[in-house]
Amino acid sequence: IFVYLFIFLDMATTESYTFSLHDAFPFCSGLWSAGAVVIALLIVAPIVAVIWVALNPTENIWPHLMATTLPRYMTNTAVLAGGVGVLAAAVGAGAAWLISMYRFPGAGWLEWLLLLPMAIPAYVGAYALVDFLDYSGPVQTALREAFGWASARDYWFPQVRSRTAAVVVLASAFYPYVYLLTRSAFREQSGGSYEVARALGAGPVGLFWRVGLPLARPAIVAGAAIAMMETVADFGVVDYFGVQTLTTGIFKIGRAHV
């Protein structure tokens, strides 16, 4: 085993050798292929089962769902995913550009602090936002004391538990996906492109819009896609804010059949 491992590493690090798995492990190539097929089947099987059950229900419930809850679930899910994707792309790409292209006090700390939302569950941010902006929170309490308002009927304040607030919370939790990929994309770009753009009269904004952003577009799209998929799969935030999505609908159906 160790001999074959050494041959594998030696071939992988030799530039003049076109590496092939069959060359290093001639007796295991078939096993690797079979193992890959088995793993793929194990991953795909639950998805196929869910699709089969959905398309072949015991009762004809699709007309009822289409007439009642499904359009609302799909609309809320699409709006949340689209809003989070756009906001996360804007915040993540902007932060990556500032960290990659500018030097300012605290940039080294900020480079890593921008990753902290990945360590905090999104629903914790939802709790914090509601406690901060709710009627009994510090913001509305300070406004009532400053303007002499006695109750909520004396002033207007945006609804805290809303779909818009859910977009803000989820984008704040998932933008690091865009930030990480885009920061790597900016750092891998050639400096010659920016030097040519500066020589042609491009300013800081022009460098971002005409050079940096087009070159980093694949990374931004990939990060935004991950953020959107995380949004579709999220349950805690949308349930706490009372936003009915496909995830909450599936949970309610599952709980009803327990």
Side-chain angles (χ1 to χ4, degrees):
I1 296 174
F2 287 102
V3 171
Y4 272 95
L5 181 60
F6 176 79
I7 296 174
F8 176 84
L9 295 175
D10 182 69
M11 291 178 178
T13 55
T14 303
E15 297 180 356
S16 60
Y17 187 86
T18 303
F19 175 74
S20 173
L21 186 64
H22 179 72
D23 295 330
F25 302 96
F27 61 88
C28 291
S29 59
L31 294 178
W32 280 106
S33 300
V37 172
V38 171
I39 294 174
L41 290 176
L42 291 175
I43 294 175
V44 174
I47 302 175
V48 174
V50 171
I51 296 175
W52 176 262
V53 172
L55 297 179
N56 298 275
T58 55
E59 300 178 1
N60 190 18
I61 61 174
W62 282 108
H64 173 71
L65 292 176
M66 291 299 298
T68 54
T69 58
L70 191 58
R72 181 170 66 254
Y73 289 164
M74 295 184 67
T75 300
N76 286 335
T77 302
V79 171
L80 280 175
V84 171
V86 172
L87 188 57
V91 175
W97 175 261
L98 293 176
I99 292 297
S100 303
M101 300 298 172
Y102 294 91
R103 294 295 177 264
F104 50 89
W109 288 91
L110 186 61
E111 179 179 1
W112 299 105
L113 290 176
L114 288 170
L115 300 176
L116 283 181
M118 300 186 71
I120 303 174
Y123 62 83
V124 174
Y127 296 157
L129 181 67
V130 170
D131 288 341
F132 188 69
L133 297 179
D134 207 4
Y135 179 80
S136 59
V139 174
Q140 293 198 46
T141 300
L143 290 175
R144 289 194 299 271
E145 293 178 354
F147 294 96
W149 294 326
S151 64
R153 291 177 294 182
D154 297 334
Y155 64 98
W156 176 87
F157 196 83
Q159 181 66 30
V160 180
R161 298 193 181 189
S162 63
R163 190 169 60 186
T164 303
V167 169
V168 173
V169 171
L170 291 172
S172 301
F174 298 145
Y175 81 85
Y177 292 115
V178 182
Y179 166 70
L180 277 175
L181 294 176
T182 310
R183 186 186 65 178
S184 299
F186 284 144
R187 289 181 173 177
E188 292 175 357
Q189 293 174 5
S190 173
S193 303
Y194 296 99
E195 293 177 0
V196 171
R198 290 191 185 96
L200 294 175
V205 177
L207 289 176
F208 176 73
W209 283 105
R210 299 180 181 180
V211 182
L213 188 61
L215 293 176
R217 191 178 301 160
I220 297 173
V221 172
I226 297 175
M228 293 172 68
M229 288 188 288
E230 290 280 1
T231 300
V232 174
D234 180 79
F235 175 77
V237 173
V238 293
D239 183 66
Y240 185 67
F241 282 132
V243 181
Q244 296 180 339
T245 63
L246 290 173
T247 305
T248 58
I250 294 171
F251 176 80
K252 291 178 182 178
I253 293 175
R255 186 172 58 181
H257 287 79
V258 173

